[in-house]
Amino acid sequence: MLHLGTPVEIQRPRGVPLTKKQFYVENKPFTCLDGSRTISFDRVNDDYCDCKDGSDEPGTAACPNGSFHCTNAGYRPMFIPSSRINDGICDCCDTTDEYNSGAKCENTCKELGRKEREVLQKMAEITKEGFLLKQHLIEEAKKGQQEKQSKVTDMQGNKKQLDEKVEVLRTVKETAEQPEKEAKERHLKAWEEQKAAIRLEKDKAKMAEAFLELDDNADGFVSVSELQSHAELDADADGTLTETEAQGLMGGAEQVDTSTFESVWPNIKDKYHSEVMETPPDEVKEPVVDNDSEPYPEDDISEEEDEEDEDDYHEDDDKVSCGCVQAPPTIKTPEKNHEDEEAMPSYDADTQALIDAAQKARDDFEEAEKALREMDDQIRNIEKELSFDFGPDAEFTYLYSQCYELTTGEYIYRLCPFNRVSQKPKYGGSETNLGTWGSWSGPENNKYLLMKYDHGTGCWQGPNRSTTVKLTCGKETVVTSTSEPSRCEYLIEFTTPAVCQEPANTDLSPHDHEEL
Amino acid sequence: MAVISIERMGLLSVFCVCLFFSSAFAVDRGNFKTCDQSSFCKRQRALKPGQSPYRALLETLELSDSRLTLQLINDNNKVHLLLELYRLQGNMTRVKINELKPLKPRFEVPDVLIAEPPTEPLSVLSKDDNGIVLSLGAESQRLIVSARPFRLDIMEGPEVLLSLNSRGLLAFEHLHLRKDTQAQPDGAEVKESVDGDQQQDEVEKDEDGEGDKEQDGLWEETFKSHTDTKPNGPTSISLDFSLPGVEHVYGIPEHADDLKLKTTDGGDPYRLYNLDVFQYELYNPMALYGSIPVMLAHNTQRTMGIFWLNAAETWVDISSNTAGKTVFGKMLDFVQGSSEKPQTDIRWISESGIIDVFIMLGPKPSDVFSQYASLTGTQSFPPLASLGYHQCRWNYNDQEDVKSVDQGFDQHDIPYDFIWLDIEHADGKRYFTWDPHKFSQPKEMLQGLMDKRRKMVAIVDPHIKVDSGYKIHSEITSKDFYVKNKDGRNYEGWCWPGNSGYPDFTIPEMRAWWASMFAYDQYEGSMENLFTWNDMNEPSVFNGPEVTMHKDALHGKWEHREIHNIYGLYVQMATAEGQIQRSGGVERPFVLTRAFFAGSQRFGAVWTGDNAAEWGHLKISIPMCLSLGLVGVSFCGADIGGFFKNPSTELLVRWYQTGAYQPFFRAHAHLDTTRREPWLFGPENTALIREVIRQRYALLPYWYQLFFQAYRTGMPVMRPLWVDYPKDTVTFTIDDEFLIGSDLLVHPITEEGSRGVTAYLPGAGEVWYDVHTFQKHNGAQNLYIPVTLSSIPVFQRGGSIIPRKDRVRRSSACMENDPYTLYVALSPKKFARGKLYIDDGHSFNYDTKKEFIHRSLTFANNALTSSNLCPDCNFLTSSWIEKVLILGASKPSKVVLKMDGKETPVDFEFDSSMSVLTLRKPGMNAGDDWTLLLQ
């Protein structure tokens, strides 16, 4: 049966779009649109499915695979699955899908049309302005890119000079260090000799002292018996120094005078204990040779290790503040021997001059080397930036090294494009990495609509956190929403002019005429 | 959902870490007791079959109209027991054994039986010194009470059907006072009341003659860090049953095990103790979330049932004299004729309470179902929509998420009826509330669903956050409705919200109050399309022994030990009552529960708890739901896709294909899994899932009719083949396929990469029709079926008529007025029969006002007739008959519709390749009398 629409509407069976009207001719046999069979016209829309493709029932729910067309005058025409005809739910804004269900539908097409036009207009405005901004961004980016490119070129030229300078200074340094080394060695040797002389002098004094001590009767001779009073000299360690043993020590003599004692002294001096309580003489300290310009290298290393440990522990603490509160390294005073006689005398003026000259050469060299390193870093950074895919017209360049935040009920989300995404609880707590820059991952026709950040902090029994950033056209660059559609998989909606497409509407975009 | 996620359980995290890392994706068995670790089980099991010390004192016999009582004496300790025997209407015998004069009353489980079972007169046929013979009615059935030793035998003619205490394992730990000094002070004055002077002396000889002090676990028992104080001491009971001629026993869910119960010799007995088991293992007798102490015994001659009404921790031992024998050995026995009769021996052991056993004598499977239903009630008749598809996830994040999932179903043209919200929807796990940020406008959300004629379920668990600002908590506190610990203070334990109280659902006033909380003005944000899910009602207590409540916690004067297995039933009972009340008694409730007990079928649906995305878990969902169906719970399902872990696409598709043919059809997923709405796996898989969900919706009239039948008769909806083919021994162990009603046979694909399955089609002389191709196959054969990913082997029985609604829409409500297609599958004798049931789909008017249509559809003598099964019913439907398919038909020359005395010709088509006759648009109203004549 044919249901008549409003007078202005062209007569056609219910649910048939205008484009297919010609297949449904009243009172003529109807052939299923797939050609599978032909039926009499009274079986079209008779609420029984005869065609496999559902084409005989465009206006009823009889066919499982049918579709129903609503005209939706004032809004947009659309197709709905025929299972939505008379199901009690208003799907078509012109209410034509619910003609027999008792559902109270109102025609909302006008309202929807108005709203849609408003939205479209708004969108068009945004797109227009956004697209203008985008052009600006592209210009800026191109300029910036050129600047950077030329900066890199300049720097590479400078770097070459710096390279040469470093090499020159290295030679200067090495040249200055050779005489310095020789002079230092000379000085050291002289001091070693001096030390040996001092030691000999000391031994003699000790010997004389021992002689006086041993010579109990002060007769100018040390006798065997006098020696025997020093049991520590016992050779066979039986606790007593026998006469024979004492004599043996004295080279068979009964007594020795000061000069012959000289030959006895070497036999006893190692075991001899002075009767006066006296601290044994300190070992002669080796001088600290200051070859290294850094004072306490070992201490420094351990400090660094500590720092690293701490970083591991407070993984997410702000590193800057962590560095600031770091206690200064505790200065451990080295236990230098301050006995004047042991200290190496200061360098003579000539040597010192050589050292000073060498030190200056070293400083100059290191300074130049540092400058070179810094330049290398700068070049590398710029090259890295230049290597990013900032879009077909570099329109995303401006996002580089920027961060955008959105505060939600519980968290502060932070998106740093081309770098990382993170989440931090609003009321304290450590930051969680939701992913680091991975790649553009939009659909094939425009991969620049989605960004993928992955390898974030791992989830319990789950994957590492990751974030998809969905970019939509907007005048402003702002994070508009965040969500976690699946556990540990985040979604950030982000507006930017950089994805605004050229407005298609000619009346909105006078520039189009240029192409015509 | 299961026990614990560390990220969400701040204070418990240390405890959790241990729990999790030791148990990644497998149950940590160490958290749960073996029989050896449960002192009463160990004690009872140490008692071996032999001469029973119990003797019947025949001179104490008292016989009234409805019951016989008799004293038993334990000759070892002279303790007297009282035996009560009842002959119940419907071929059942009830056996109760309690202490004659217990020190204090022993617990008897209330609220499980729907009424005091009606009795029939018992008469003494003969009596002498050795025993008594009682008549059990007309069917030459006798009950023999032997005196020394005491035993009971139920006979039919010369055959023993069942014997009690034939192995002498009746053991009754009578209440007594503690012998050591510790118990002396407060025990002193009660001493007087103890019956019989000998008792004190004989205590030590109890069971195995050991004194209290020498035995562990009599007055105190420690498991892991938890000590169970036992102020009443040992109270366990045990009784053995022998089933001559029986080799197959079933039931006693819930276990993740085969349908046919295994012998337990050499292993642990099957355990019944409701527990929240994290990542449960398959094929073992460990306890799970629910317990139904009902066992069915079946052989080709008879089906019987044993219902052990006890809510305490229970263990069931099964042994069989044929268990060890190979098929060859059995054949040899047969050939040589030297075989002893096969026999299965059962032993029930419970920690406390009394012995209260119902012996259901069948003899047909359907008799046992109606016998059990007459005791504990039938499956509640669910709202039609709840038989549709349910979309669940822990958790849908917020209202926006709910909206977009709802739209996703429409975009992909997939029907669904319910979307579910798990614990994250509530404000800080305070049930009956909504998260103020994520679900700030619940009514707006519910209205949005209602506009699509869809519904929602929100979870309400029984653990209540201890928070003075929380209305539910403060009211329960002020009404003093919480469970108490052994010291009389409110029992508190850890669960999702942190520190929680547990309402004492055993108190009728508490249940009434709980029910009142579902009123629309109490449960803010609720609407008539919001329903409820009770999870964690074992109850789950994260820091309790075996993740549940301490046994010495108190429900009034009774210890938790006595009532444990029925706690979950009460939660669902009170919740369902709340839903009924909020509508003024008009609307049917829908409540899903995880914990259950005998009788839970009266209150809603159950699911098999926290399974995993593994093929084994898909496979086990069949025997788990079959076992539940056998003992009354028809409305059963498993989480589609598997709760834990991420399913492969193939597994997910196969699971939908299986779940669509199981009674409760819900997809669910753990919080830590990736999203898995049906359209997230590519267009081909979306199409496969859409197709099977549509098959489900087309069959809703059949499912609904089967649930009506289950509600009326207790017949399971999803059943093992042997229920309908009780004499076909091949069917006795089949649990990889099943029947829906009598007429659909389903063999789901549960193997990865399957390219073919062998399905057994039962019934010699019968035929089965493939529901997709209408190809006819003979019964009593193993049929090899090649399969692809789109295959779901389903067969309609020749001889049946299944009404379908082939116009699948967005939800079941949208299909209300749609026409029916009748699928008439002819038997070889060109006969078929079916039923059609129609009502409003949601109210109690079918019951209170008889507003329903119930029709018998019969095809015989080339005529299909619809006749009224309920002439005094009144219900009008706008549904009509749009098509009739007759499978196995021959081509008629003419088809005529006879109605109201008029005859009108009906168009038809005949497909000779498959012998399918299609009658085009006969057009009669589904509630009318009519006949279609094939001429």
Side-chain angles (χ1 to χ4, degrees):
Chain A
M1 200 201 84
L2 212 139
H3 176 87
L4 300 185
T6 52
V8 287
E9 233 179 289
I10 299 157
Q11 279 188 8
R12 57 185 193 270
R14 194 197 299 271
V16 174
L18 257 180
T19 52
K20 288 183 180 163
K21 181 191 173 280
Q22 76 253 32
F23 302 114
Y24 298 83
V25 183
E26 203 172 349
N27 299 325
K28 294 218 170 140
F30 172 76
T31 302
C32 304
L33 297 187
D34 64 0
S36 56
R37 68 191 291 192
T38 299
I39 55 177
S40 65
F41 195 79
D42 60 6
R43 291 193 174 184
V44 171
N45 276 347
D46 73 337
D47 210 6
Y48 184 90
C49 191
D50 293 286
C51 296
K52 274 184 185 155
D53 66 353
S55 57
D56 64 316
E57 296 294 318
T60 78
C63 294
N65 51 347
S67 63
F68 175 87
H69 181 265
C70 23
T71 310
N72 289 347
Y75 186 53
R76 263 184 294 171
M78 66 174 184
F79 287 97
I80 58 167
S82 59
S83 64
R84 293 180 196 174
I85 300 167
N86 290 328
D87 68 348
I89 300 164
C90 310
D91 291 285
C92 297
C93 64
D94 65 3
T95 76
T96 52
D97 60 318
E98 296 299 316
Y99 57 86
N100 193 26
S101 69
K104 291 188 182 73
C105 301
E106 278 173 42
N107 189 321
T108 55
C109 290
K110 271 189 183 165
E111 179 66 13
L112 283 173
R114 191 180 59 74
K115 275 189 188 156
E116 188 181 50
R117 278 189 297 280
E118 271 176 23
V119 169
L120 283 175
Q121 192 151 0
K122 211 169 172 186
M123 281 293 295
E125 277 164 30
I126 289 170
T127 309
K128 186 181 163 191
E129 284 180 54
F131 187 70
L132 284 175
L133 286 169
K134 180 179 173 180
Q135 299 312 309
H136 201 63
L137 291 174
I138 291 170
E139 267 172 50
E140 298 257 298
K142 292 224 161 114
K143 228 191 283 169
Q145 221 169 350
Q146 274 162 14
E147 273 169 22
K148 275 170 194 138
Q149 198 67 58
S150 62
K151 197 175 170 193
V152 167
T153 317
D154 288 355
M155 283 168 84
Q156 266 156 350
N158 292 343
K159 187 190 161 211
K160 214 172 164 194
Q161 289 175 13
L162 206 51
D163 268 337
E164 284 161 14
K165 188 178 169 190
V166 166
E167 283 318 303
V168 169
L169 288 175
R170 188 194 306 282
T171 318
V172 171
K173 179 185 85 142
E174 281 164 5
T175 319
E177 276 175 342
Q178 191 54 35
E180 177 202 32
K181 193 181 165 201
E182 286 164 10
K184 272 182 161 175
E185 278 168 4
R186 267 198 307 281
H187 182 81
L188 190 62
K189 201 178 161 206
W191 185 56
E192 291 291 343
E193 283 163 6
Q194 197 187 332
K195 271 198 298 192
I198 290 168
R199 263 200 301 271
L200 194 67
E201 210 51 45
K202 271 187 167 172
D203 192 44
K204 273 190 178 158
K206 229 171 157 184
M207 181 178 70
E209 216 175 288
F211 186 86
L212 287 175
E213 254 180 40
L214 284 169
D215 183 13
D216 287 338
N217 51 7
D219 59 354
F221 292 97
V222 172
S223 66
V224 167
S225 60
E226 277 167 342
L227 196 62
Q228 268 181 289
S229 70
H230 278 253
E232 76 267 19
L233 301 175
D234 173 27
D236 60 1
D238 66 352
T240 49
L241 184 67
T242 60
E243 210 176 297
T244 334
E245 281 170 340
Q247 232 165 24
L249 288 172
M250 289 176 55
E254 273 301 314
Q255 55 179 29
V256 290
D257 63 6
T258 50
S259 64
T260 44
F261 188 66
E262 272 178 42
S263 62
V264 176
W265 177 240
N267 297 339
I268 65 169
K269 70 176 175 186
D270 288 342
K271 288 183 178 170
Y272 180 78
H273 281 184
S274 169
E275 286 157 28
V276 185
M277 281 308 287
E278 160 192 303
T279 50
D282 285 324
E283 296 251 313
V284 177
K285 291 268 175 183
E286 289 299 316
V288 176
V289 182
D290 232 5
N291 273 338
D292 204 318
S293 56
E294 289 171 310
Y296 308 115
E298 283 175 23
D299 276 358
D300 250 6
I301 287 163
S302 69
E303 278 302 327
E304 271 167 27
E305 279 172 354
D306 284 349
E307 222 170 296
E308 273 169 26
D309 285 349
E310 224 155 41
D311 274 358
D312 284 348
Y313 192 70
H314 303 288
E315 212 174 10
D316 298 307
D317 277 0
D318 187 341
K319 293 215 175 191
V320 178
S321 74
C322 185
C324 289
V325 298
Q326 192 71 46
T330 45
I331 297 166
K332 286 182 198 156
T333 316
E335 300 202 359
K336 281 196 176 173
N337 196 306
H338 288 295
E339 284 178 57
D340 287 347
E341 49 181 359
E342 304 291 350
M344 185 173 73
S346 45
Y347 296 114
D348 58 69
D350 288 350
T351 310
Q352 191 57 48
L354 287 171
I355 291 171
D356 289 350
Q359 189 57 45
K360 188 175 178 300
R362 268 195 294 273
D363 289 348
D364 290 349
F365 168 73
E366 272 155 20
E367 198 183 319
E369 209 181 30
K370 193 179 160 202
L372 179 64
R373 269 202 306 271
E374 279 167 4
M375 184 168 281
D376 266 341
D377 284 350
Q378 279 178 31
I379 292 172
R380 218 175 295 126
N381 282 341
I382 295 170
E383 279 176 342
K384 186 183 163 198
E385 188 179 338
L386 288 171
S387 74
F388 273 103
D389 178 358
F390 287 133
D393 297 306
E395 61 266 42
F396 298 102
T397 312
Y398 81 107
L399 298 174
Y400 188 77
S401 73
Q402 300 294 312
C403 291
Y404 303 88
E405 283 187 353
L406 179 73
T407 304
T408 65
E410 277 175 89
Y411 297 101
I412 299 165
Y413 289 86
R414 190 173 163 91
L415 164 67
C416 304
F418 305 103
N419 183 10
R420 73 199 287 262
V421 182
S422 59
Q423 173 203 55
K424 200 174 166 146
K426 215 155 129 187
Y427 308 106
S430 57
E431 191 185 77
T432 306
N433 181 357
L434 304 186
T436 51
W437 169 248
S439 61
W440 293 103
S441 58
E444 254 172 61
N445 59 357
N446 189 357
K447 66 171 178 170
Y448 300 103
L449 291 177
L450 293 178
M451 289 171 155
K452 185 84 188 167
Y453 294 80
D454 39 29
H455 303 296
T457 313
C459 270
W460 175 76
Q461 278 206 358
N464 285 0
R465 286 172 174 82
S466 65
T467 302
T468 299
V469 178
K470 193 175 149 196
L471 291 81
T472 48
C473 167
K475 286 187 280 186
E476 277 157 19
T477 305
V478 58
V479 174
T480 55
S481 80
T482 62
S483 57
E484 190 182 353
S486 197
R487 188 91 183 121
C488 302
E489 290 175 15
Y490 296 82
L491 176 69
I492 286 184
E493 305 222 25
F494 186 57
T495 62
T496 162
V499 291
C500 293
Q501 295 292 325
E502 187 159 17
N505 214 332
T506 46
D507 61 341
L508 287 172
S509 158
H511 301 289
D512 274 7
H513 294 297
E514 291 169 8
E515 287 176 359
L516 294 175
Chain B
M1 92 230 32
V3 199
I4 305 156
S5 164
I6 23 175
E7 291 178 74
R8 252 150 254 106
M9 290 297 304
L11 281 160
L12 264 179
S13 60
V14 176
F15 162 72
C16 298
V17 167
C18 312
L19 190 73
F20 282 126
F21 289 99
S22 57
S23 70
F25 292 130
V27 70
D28 185 352
R29 286 171 181 244
N31 284 333
F32 303 102
K33 287 183 185 179
T34 60
C35 177
D36 254 6
Q37 290 167 315
S38 192
S39 76
F40 76 90
C41 186
K42 183 181 184 182
R43 227 158 45 230
Q44 288 279 8
R45 235 189 172 197
L47 186 63
K48 300 297 176 198
Q51 175 88 357
S52 176
Y54 286 95
R55 183 158 54 85
L57 302 174
L58 297 180
E59 64 279 14
T60 63
L61 182 141
E62 283 177 39
L63 183 65
S64 70
D65 246 13
S66 61
R67 78 167 192 172
L68 175 151
T69 62
L70 193 61
Q71 289 181 27
L72 308 178
I73 186 167
N74 180 341
D75 278 328
N76 287 343
N77 61 13
K78 303 291 181 275
V79 174
H80 288 243
L81 301 179
L82 180 69
L83 167 75
E84 295 172 75
L85 293 173
Y86 300 83
R87 181 182 157 213
L88 302 182
Q89 283 179 19
N91 205 14
M92 287 181 283
T93 300
R94 182 180 192 176
V95 179
K96 277 176 91 166
I97 301 174
N98 195 354
E99 290 180 55
L100 182 64
K101 291 179 182 169
L103 203 53
K104 54 184 185 179
R106 296 182 66 118
F107 187 69
E108 298 187 38
V109 186
D111 300 311
V112 168
L113 301 178
I114 48 174
E116 200 50 44
T119 55
E120 288 191 275
L122 272 171
S123 56
V124 176
L125 292 176
S126 65
K127 182 182 172 193
D128 61 20
D129 288 349
N130 297 320
I132 316 162
V133 180
L134 297 153
S135 164
L136 286 176
E139 300 153 37
S140 73
Q141 281 180 353
R142 284 155 296 143
L143 174 60
I144 297 164
V145 183
S146 304
R148 186 192 292 263
F150 163 70
R151 69 179 265 173
L152 293 173
D153 293 278
I154 295 175
M155 314 262 309
E156 185 177 84
E159 299 273 315
V160 177
L161 301 179
L162 175 135
S163 308
L164 280 71
N165 200 31
S166 54
R167 289 190 297 150
L169 294 172
L170 168 63
F172 211 106
E173 291 181 331
H174 62 281
L175 293 166
H176 59 274
L177 295 168
R178 192 165 185 171
K179 289 290 281 180
D180 58 20
T181 47
Q182 231 177 314
Q184 225 51 10
D186 46 335
E189 84 274 12
V190 204
K191 240 178 185 174
E192 309 299 322
S193 67
V194 174
D195 71 300
D197 299 333
Q198 319 95 309
Q199 188 163 344
Q200 292 303 314
D201 302 325
E202 296 301 329
V203 164
E204 296 95 320
K205 291 186 191 160
D206 215 15
E207 311 328 352
D208 47 11
E210 278 184 65
D212 288 358
K213 273 175 278 184
E214 281 116 82
Q215 256 197 328
D216 283 339
L218 289 175
W219 297 90
E220 190 176 281
E221 183 171 348
T222 299
F223 177 67
K224 303 195 99 177
S225 60
H226 301 282
T227 297
D228 175 17
T229 65
K230 298 183 176 178
N232 296 322
T235 57
S236 74
I237 54 170
S238 161
L239 181 59
D240 64 281
F241 301 78
S242 292
L243 296 155
V246 169
E247 285 183 274
H248 295 85
V249 288
Y250 308 94
I252 55 166
E254 179 176 45
H255 301 100
D257 208 345
D258 292 327
L259 174 66
K260 176 192 183 297
L261 298 171
K262 293 166 182 157
T263 60
T264 57
D265 303 324
D268 255 11
Y270 283 97
R271 188 182 189 202
L272 294 172
Y273 191 58
N274 295 359
L275 292 175
D276 180 0
V277 181
F278 182 77
Q279 292 176 342
Y280 60 79
E281 258 178 52
L282 308 183
Y283 303 108
N284 72 46
M286 284 173 73
L288 286 178
Y289 313 94
S291 302
I292 301 183
V294 178
M295 185 184 284
L296 267 54
H298 177 73
N299 61 24
T300 54
Q301 302 305 309
R302 180 180 284 273
T303 310
M304 292 185 289
I306 298 168
F307 171 28
W308 176 267
L309 178 49
N310 190 299
E313 180 183 345
T314 296
W315 299 78
V316 185
D317 255 323
I318 300 168
S319 56
S320 157
N321 62 350
T322 56
K325 288 190 181 165
T326 60
V327 175
F328 179 74
K330 285 185 195 173
M331 272 172 63
L332 206 67
D333 283 347
F334 181 75
V335 172
Q336 294 172 341
S338 63
S339 161
E340 53 181 327
K341 202 175 179 185
Q343 176 167 315
T344 297
D345 295 308
I346 315 295
R347 182 185 191 193
W348 297 76
I349 302 167
S350 288
E351 185 173 9
S352 56
I354 64 162
I355 293 174
D356 190 0
V357 194
F358 298 80
I359 297 155
M360 300 169 282
L361 291 169
K364 295 197 300 291
S366 57
D367 295 326
V368 176
F369 300 134
S370 66
Q371 284 156 4
Y372 180 63
S374 74
L375 299 173
T376 66
T378 58
Q379 176 67 52
S380 64
F381 188 37
L384 172 61
S386 66
L387 297 176
Y389 172 61
H390 299 260
Q391 181 66 39
C392 186
R393 176 177 179 81
W394 176 26
N395 210 97
Y396 284 118
N397 297 329
D398 49 27
Q399 287 179 217
E400 270 308 300
D401 200 2
V402 169
K403 199 172 173 181
S404 76
V405 171
D406 178 68
Q407 286 170 349
F409 278 93
D410 289 341
Q411 277 157 21
H412 298 91
D413 205 14
I414 299 172
Y416 90 94
D417 269 87
F418 282 82
I419 187 164
W420 291 54
L421 295 180
D422 209 324
I423 53 171
E424 311 298 328
H425 85 278
D427 181 9
K429 322 286 194 288
R430 292 172 188 87
Y431 308 109
F432 299 101
T433 72
W434 304 84
D435 184 295
H437 304 292
K438 300 170 187 162
F439 295 93
S440 58
Q441 303 297 327
K443 284 196 175 180
E444 198 179 296
M445 172 176 64
L446 288 164
Q447 186 61 51
L449 292 169
M450 199 180 281
D451 291 345
K452 295 262 193 79
R453 308 183 74 175
R454 288 172 178 152
K455 298 163 177 66
M456 174 171 263
V457 169
I459 200 163
V460 175
D461 287 351
H463 50 258
I464 302 300
K465 186 180 177 72
V466 174
D467 168 5
S468 56
Y470 176 29
K471 183 184 88 172
I472 299 290
H473 168 73
S474 48
E475 285 204 30
I476 296 173
T477 308
S478 71
K479 292 176 192 298
D480 200 22
F481 280 159
Y482 274 126
V483 175
K484 303 291 185 288
N485 65 21
K486 64 180 192 304
D487 306 321
R489 293 191 311 273
N490 284 346
Y491 179 91
E492 287 179 2
W494 282 90
C495 211
W496 297 122
N499 198 29
S500 305
Y502 291 78
D504 189 348
F505 283 89
T506 66
I507 306 171
E509 294 77 18
M510 156 62 210
R511 296 199 298 274
W513 173 83
W514 178 266
S516 74
M517 289 298 101
F518 288 88
Y520 296 120
D521 60 348
Q522 292 292 325
Y523 190 166
E524 279 178 41
S526 68
M527 285 172 56
E528 57 266 45
N529 64 338
L530 180 68
F531 296 83
T532 313
W533 171 17
N534 293 148
D535 196 357
M536 317 294 281
N537 51 340
E538 293 75 23
S540 178
V541 181
F542 291 162
N543 58 340
E546 303 192 86
V547 203
T548 192
M549 192 171 277
H550 293 71
K551 283 177 173 170
D552 52 11
L554 291 170
H555 301 258
K557 66 175 181 173
W558 299 110
E559 283 188 288
H560 183 69
R561 165 180 354 267
E562 307 283 354
I563 68 98
H564 176 84
N565 282 347
I566 199 180
Y567 185 86
L569 175 145
Y570 278 130
V571 175
Q572 193 190 20
M573 176 195 253
T575 304
E577 183 56 33
Q579 278 188 15
I580 295 170
Q581 281 179 15
R582 70 176 184 178
S583 70
V586 173
E587 297 293 322
R588 285 176 238 167
F590 172 71
V591 182
L592 177 74
T593 182
R594 190 171 70 182
F596 51 81
F597 189 64
S600 284
Q601 69 271 16
R602 306 197 299 267
F603 310 112
V606 306
W607 94 107
T608 61
D610 299 345
N611 60 1
E614 294 167 2
W615 289 91
H617 276 269
L618 167 59
K619 202 176 170 65
I620 207 79
S621 70
I622 302 170
M624 286 180 81
C625 279
L626 286 176
S627 294
L628 276 160
L630 289 176
V631 296
V633 179
S634 266
F635 206 1
C636 170
D639 285 347
I640 287 163
F643 178 67
F644 292 112
K645 309 216 286 181
N646 294 306
S648 68
T649 303
E650 185 191 356
L651 175 58
L652 185 67
V653 168
R654 289 301 190 201
W655 212 316
Y656 270 101
Q657 292 172 343
T658 304
Y661 288 92
Q662 290 175 351
F664 177 57
F665 183 28
R666 183 185 76 151
H668 186 34
H670 189 275
L671 186 72
D672 289 316
T673 59
T674 47
R675 294 291 282 248
R676 52 167 101 138
E677 284 70 49
W679 49 86
L680 295 176
F681 302 87
E684 298 87 3
N685 295 302
T686 304
L688 291 171
I689 295 171
R690 177 194 298 123
E691 168 57 24
V692 73
I693 296 179
R694 285 182 172 190
Q695 286 179 23
R696 167 66 169 225
Y697 274 80
L699 279 169
L700 282 179
Y702 181 61
W703 282 104
Y704 197 47
Q705 188 264 118
L706 289 174
F707 268 93
F708 182 68
Q709 192 190 350
Y711 157 73
R712 284 215 157 166
T713 67
M715 278 302 284
V717 169
M718 172 182 170
R719 17 176 126 137
L721 271 58
W722 64 259
V723 168
D724 282 84
Y725 299 88
K727 293 191 187 301
D728 183 350
T729 55
V730 177
T731 64
F732 293 2
T733 55
I734 291 178
D735 62 5
D736 57 353
E737 63 182 51
F738 54 89
L739 291 166
I740 301 168
S742 297
D743 302 338
L744 281 184
L745 180 131
V746 187
H747 189 111
I749 313 293
T750 57
E751 303 284 341
E752 186 170 19
S754 181
R755 309 183 67 166
V757 293
T758 301
Y760 179 71
L761 303 181
E766 295 194 24
V767 293
W768 293 87
Y769 297 86
D770 184 313
V771 300
H772 310 295
T773 64
F774 303 137
Q775 194 181 343
K776 187 162 76 178
H777 302 280
N778 288 325
Q781 67 153 329
N782 282 305
L783 179 70
Y784 180 78
I785 307 153
V787 299
T788 64
L789 197 51
S790 65
S791 309
I792 315 158
V794 181
F795 301 89
Q796 183 176 344
R797 188 175 59 82
S800 67
I801 300 173
I802 293 181
R804 287 201 219 171
K805 281 190 173 179
D806 281 336
R807 303 183 181 188
V808 173
R809 299 183 183 259
R810 264 184 286 218
S811 69
S812 64
C814 294
M815 296 162 66
E816 185 185 353
N817 298 319
D818 281 340
Y820 290 90
T821 296
L822 303 179
Y823 286 74
V824 181
L826 297 184
S827 72
K829 290 179 179 165
K830 306 293 176 196
F831 177 85
R833 196 200 325 249
K835 281 178 186 166
L836 176 62
Y837 175 84
I838 308 172
D839 64 13
D840 66 14
H842 56 86
S843 78
F844 281 113
N845 293 351
Y846 72 93
D847 183 35
T848 54
K849 300 180 181 169
K850 288 205 137 192
E851 288 183 0
F852 64 90
I853 292 166
H854 199 201
R855 303 202 67 85
S856 168
L857 304 166
T858 311
F859 186 97
N861 306 318
N862 275 325
L864 176 62
T865 305
S866 169
S867 53
N868 202 345
L869 287 172
C870 185
D872 59 337
C873 286
N874 57 92
F875 185 73
L876 294 177
T877 179
S878 29
S879 296
W880 47 287
I881 311 296
E882 68 169 326
K883 197 194 286 192
V884 177
L885 266 80
I886 304 174
L887 315 180
S890 36
K891 189 178 180 179
S893 54
K894 195 176 152 196
V895 179
V896 171
L897 171 64
K898 273 178 71 176
M899 209 173 146
D900 302 331
K902 283 178 279 184
E903 293 197 4
T904 31
V906 174
D907 284 327
F908 64 90
E909 279 172 42
F910 184 71
D911 172 358
S912 54
S913 67
M914 286 292 168
S915 303
V916 178
L917 177 68
T918 304
L919 310 187
R920 186 189 190 280
K921 208 181 174 189
M924 52 285 189
N925 184 284
D928 283 345
D929 290 330
W930 49 262
T931 298
L932 282 162
L933 290 166
L934 313 188
Q935 292 167 340

